[in-house]
Amino acid sequence: MIEIKSKNVFVESVYKNGYSLTQLAEEVGMSQSNLSNVLGGRNGISPKKAKAIIGVLNVKFDDLFCITAK
């Protein structure tokens, strides 16, 4: 499962790139509620969506995400 490493670091990266969380969700084809669930640790994120996010934010995968076994 792919999870957010740090909600604070994730949100900071979003804002530094000029997006709101809602705008980022729209940009990568997610609902805002799904992104919220990922940030809250209630859901993991698909590899495809994680790749889209790191592409939009121009960061490395390991900066924002970690892979956990469940």
Side-chain angles (χ1 to χ4, degrees), residues 14-55:
V14 172
Y15 292 159
K16 283 184 176 179
N17 280 280
Y19 291 95
S20 69
L21 293 172
T22 300
Q23 290 169 326
L24 176 66
E26 290 173 2
E27 184 74 24
V28 299
M30 296 176 76
S31 68
Q32 192 280 329
S33 63
N34 190 15
L35 181 58
S36 179
N37 285 334
V38 170
L39 285 173
R42 292 178 290 282
N43 291 349
I45 189 167
S46 73
K48 184 176 180 178
K49 295 298 181 193
K51 185 175 180 180
I53 288 171
I54 63 172

